[in-house]
Amino acid sequence: MREQQREQAMKAFAEFLTTPMETLLERHANTSAESAALALFRSVANAVPAYRAFLAEHHIDPASVQTYANFQKLPPVTKENYLKLHPLAQLCRNGELESCDTIAVSSGSTGKPTFWPRFFTDELHIATRFEQIFYDSFQADTRRTLAVICFTLGTWVGGIFTMNCCRYLASKGYPITVIAPGNNKEEIFRVVQELGTGFDQVVLLGYPPFIKDVIDSGIARGVEWQKYHIKMVFAGEVFSEEWRSLVGERVGSTNLCYDSSALYGTADAGVLGNETPLSICIRRFLANRPDAAKALFGESRLPTLVQYDPCSRLFEVLDGTLLFSGDNGIPLVRYNILDNGGIISYDEMLKFLGEWGFDPVAELSIVGQASCLPLLDPSQDPNFTQQPLSATKVRGIHKLPFVYVFGRSNFTVSYFGANIYPENVTVGLEQPVIKEWVTGKFVLQVKEDTDKNKFLSVVVELAPGVEGSEEKKEAIASSILSQLRRLNSEFANYVPPEYQMPQVALFPTGDPEYFPIGVKHRYTRK
């Protein structure tokens, strides 16, 4: 028996159950996030064999890292220079994989999956991100809530992790009941229709395109989403505010700043940040003011915008790429997740928006949380202790910093939460017969049709002298699909079967739009 683990679990769970969310979110105002990062570094340098070896390889004496300025000079760790070079146990504290109680899997796209061990206490940090959403956005402290987990279940990180975090909220006293049909649409329809009316609201948690597919398919078969007071939690995809509006309209949303929220998460370290009513309000303003968005983010495209707790996950920016540090089953110090983005302080954000004539705090105060939802009378449950914010404070406004994310800086595309690599498609084009038709160049994209449904587009360059035909397109699409299913377990399990077949277009050699001659080819487009 490992007595230390039991004591660790008991202490952490007791703190989670008894500490109000507001107290947790205010830590950064009184606690230096930089000091927390230094403490994490010292702990990892002392206890994690792989990180000690990493520092030695770079001729760094841990004792020399005494200030945050020293910390910022530490070389970032990546999958390539750190995680893939050491046995899994050596990446854990004291080289003990058994100190973790579960292992998740991510990205089997190269034929070799990445394993991410974690312990129960690691999930409690992430449960606070869910608490922010359920408390601030959905008022789930006073509403009987059915949480329907629509992420893929199994070894992949999304489904089980999300289910656990929602159950921890129920343990804390929230009137939340969890059910996990996974990405089985028929089962989702059944549980919502048979159980939904017994609750004040139903929360659907899943990948954005899959949730939209569930909603659209439900409408086609007569599901009356409005009577279930649907809320939504998304992860794994960037989506537009037009998409949020469209999906919200179809379920009868009455307040788009409060009726949905997106998580910025990763299998590497769980949820790093989450949308808040404030960040959504800001993002919707910026969606209507592309000039302001470009001035703020430096690009015309609109990134994901979330807030984060710097005492839980500390972000840095290096050459336009996000680094983060955080404690996990595999603790990570200055980890480069290969996401392009940046960070903005709370005060900087409000100052910038004020210069553009917009006050999101005032906007939320006006919009409030107007809703026709019935409230659960807390007196019905004598064991439930409500911990409300002050009556004058609008929920969803916390002075937390912002992080914005454009996406991976490598050449993947994200589709229904699955990372798809060009290498997967390449194999499909290298099969017998097909390889005689094509040059091997292609452009991989995720596009939307007129109804905002996503599909996987592959534009393929034909070999010189080869003419396209419907038969060739169908053969190439089938070959790519076969290899995607074979090589990429996320694709095979995350993407619904009816959305898996890529839409192939054939273009001649040297096409100036997709395959210009003399220019370094890019295999993906965002």
Side-chain angles (χ1 to χ4, degrees):
M1 294 288 288
R2 300 175 62 90
E3 294 296 329
Q4 184 178 0
Q5 276 189 224
R6 180 166 64 179
E7 293 174 6
Q8 177 188 356
M10 290 174 61
K11 179 182 178 182
F13 198 39
E15 289 179 353
F16 172 77
L17 294 178
T18 58
T19 305
M21 181 190 73
E22 187 77 357
T23 301
L24 292 173
L25 298 185
E26 289 179 350
R27 285 182 309 172
H28 74 285
N30 305 309
T31 303
S32 167
E34 291 81 3
S35 296
L38 277 170
L40 175 67
F41 165 76
R42 293 181 185 125
S43 171
V44 175
N46 179 61
V48 178
Y51 195 65
R52 286 201 302 268
F54 177 81
L55 293 176
E57 290 167 9
H58 290 82
H59 309 291
I60 296 172
D61 179 2
S64 68
V65 183
Q66 295 294 322
T67 66
Y68 185 63
N70 299 147
F71 176 87
Q72 290 181 301
K73 295 178 182 178
L74 290 168
V77 298
T78 67
K79 281 187 178 180
E80 298 299 327
N81 75 4
Y82 181 62
L83 297 173
K84 291 183 177 181
L85 300 182
H86 299 277
L88 191 60
Q90 296 295 296
L91 297 164
C92 303
R93 279 191 166 80
N94 302 313
E96 297 175 339
L97 182 58
E98 65 272 21
S99 66
C100 299
D101 60 14
T102 190
I103 298 175
V105 177
S106 72
S107 188
S109 53
T110 60
K112 185 177 181 180
T114 301
F115 294 110
W116 297 102
R118 66 179 184 272
F119 185 54
F120 163 69
T121 53
D122 299 319
E123 296 181 334
L124 297 178
H125 284 281
I126 309 308
T128 301
R129 307 284 77 78
F130 285 89
E131 186 175 8
Q132 276 187 263
I133 294 171
F134 276 79
Y135 182 94
D136 281 339
S137 296
F138 304 158
Q139 300 183 57
D141 56 322
T142 59
R143 291 175 178 152
R144 296 167 298 175
T145 301
L146 179 65
V148 183
I149 311 302
C150 304
F151 290 106
T152 305
L153 302 175
T155 58
W156 303 277
V157 69
I160 303 299
F161 205 151
T162 299
M163 181 177 69
N164 288 347
C165 289
C166 291
R167 293 186 70 189
Y168 301 150
L169 297 186
S171 297
K172 193 168 184 175
Y174 287 81
I176 295 172
T177 302
V178 184
I179 191 165
N183 61 347
N184 183 327
K185 284 198 295 185
E186 292 301 318
E187 190 67 0
I188 294 169
F189 296 145
R190 187 176 75 86
V191 300
V192 169
Q193 291 179 293
E194 293 189 19
L195 299 175
T197 54
F199 294 84
D200 298 322
Q201 59 186 354
V202 173
V203 181
L204 303 178
L205 302 97
Y207 296 112
F210 180 71
I211 294 297
K212 181 179 183 297
D213 182 42
V214 167
I215 291 166
D216 290 348
S217 300
I219 291 172
R221 62 191 298 163
V223 177
E224 301 177 55
W225 293 113
Q226 290 80 359
K227 73 178 184 180
Y228 304 111
H229 307 294
I230 298 294
K231 310 295 183 187
M232 293 166 287
V233 177
F234 306 117
E237 301 277 345
V238 179
F239 54 83
S240 67
E241 287 305 315
E242 291 82 1
W243 186 94
R244 192 196 307 269
S245 296
L246 184 152
V247 173
E249 178 184 352
R250 291 181 181 178
V251 297
S253 290
T254 58
N255 191 333
L256 291 171
C257 290
Y258 285 89
D259 288 348
S260 68
S261 183
L263 303 168
Y264 172 33
T266 168
D268 314 39
V271 179
L272 305 176
N274 55 279
E275 282 191 328
T276 61
L278 180 63
S279 74
I280 294 172
C281 182
I282 292 169
R283 192 171 189 260
R284 293 184 69 79
F285 166 77
L286 294 171
N288 290 322
R289 293 295 303 270
D291 50 347
K294 187 170 185 179
L296 181 62
F297 302 124
E299 295 194 29
S300 299
R301 54 180 175 152
L302 193 63
T304 295
L305 179 66
V306 303
Q307 290 183 275
Y308 69 98
D309 178 358
C311 290
S312 175
R313 298 290 185 266
L314 177 69
F315 278 99
E316 303 172 75
V317 180
L318 180 65
D319 299 327
T321 301
L322 293 170
L323 309 179
F324 73 83
S325 301
D327 206 356
N328 312 277
I330 296 178
L332 297 169
V333 177
R334 306 199 81 217
Y335 181 59
N336 188 345
I337 196 174
L338 302 179
D339 276 343
N340 292 327
I343 53 179
I344 305 170
S345 73
Y346 179 88
D347 290 337
E348 288 173 338
M349 177 66 83
L350 264 61
K351 180 177 183 295
F352 172 87
L353 293 170
E355 293 170 353
W356 288 81
F358 182 63
D359 184 345
V361 175
E363 180 73 15
L364 280 184
S365 299
I366 295 171
V367 172
Q369 296 163 86
S371 174
C372 60
L373 291 186
L375 296 181
L376 173 68
D377 182 357
S379 65
Q380 295 176 3
D381 182 359
N383 297 317
F384 178 64
T385 302
Q386 184 179 349
Q387 297 172 335
L389 301 179
S390 64
T392 59
K393 184 170 183 178
V394 177
R395 296 197 192 199
I397 300 177
H398 301 286
K399 294 184 177 182
L400 294 167
F402 296 83
V403 59
Y404 60 90
V405 190
F406 286 113
R408 295 292 165 88
S409 56
N410 57 12
F411 296 142
T412 65
V413 299
S414 182
Y415 186 52
F416 283 83
N419 289 325
I420 301 176
Y421 292 72
E423 291 85 348
N424 305 152
V425 176
T426 296
V427 177
L429 298 179
E430 292 174 343
Q431 299 306 302
V433 181
I434 290 173
K435 64 183 179 182
E436 305 299 329
W437 301 338
V438 301
T439 66
K441 289 185 180 180
F442 58 91
V443 175
L444 179 65
Q445 290 177 276
V446 175
K447 294 184 175 181
E448 287 185 348
D449 61 21
T450 55
D451 200 38
K452 304 290 185 182
N453 293 308
K454 292 191 175 183
F455 63 92
L456 190 64
S457 166
V458 185
V459 177
V460 177
E461 184 180 49
L462 290 168
V466 175
E467 294 185 1
S469 67
E470 283 300 317
E471 292 77 10
K472 287 187 177 70
K473 283 201 296 185
E474 292 175 5
I476 292 171
S478 295
S479 181
I480 293 172
L481 176 60
S482 175
Q483 298 306 318
L484 281 171
R485 287 174 171 169
R486 182 178 70 87
L487 296 170
N488 193 323
S489 64
E490 288 184 351
F491 177 90
N493 289 278
Y494 286 15
V495 182
E498 61 268 34
Y499 287 88
Q500 289 186 359
M501 180 66 76
Q503 294 190 22
V504 170
L506 303 178
F507 279 68
T509 305
D511 178 82
E513 180 180 357
Y514 285 98
F515 310 108
I517 297 173
V519 177
K520 185 177 180 180
H521 183 63
R522 291 185 61 89
Y523 286 88
T524 60
R525 290 188 182 180
K526 303 298 183 183

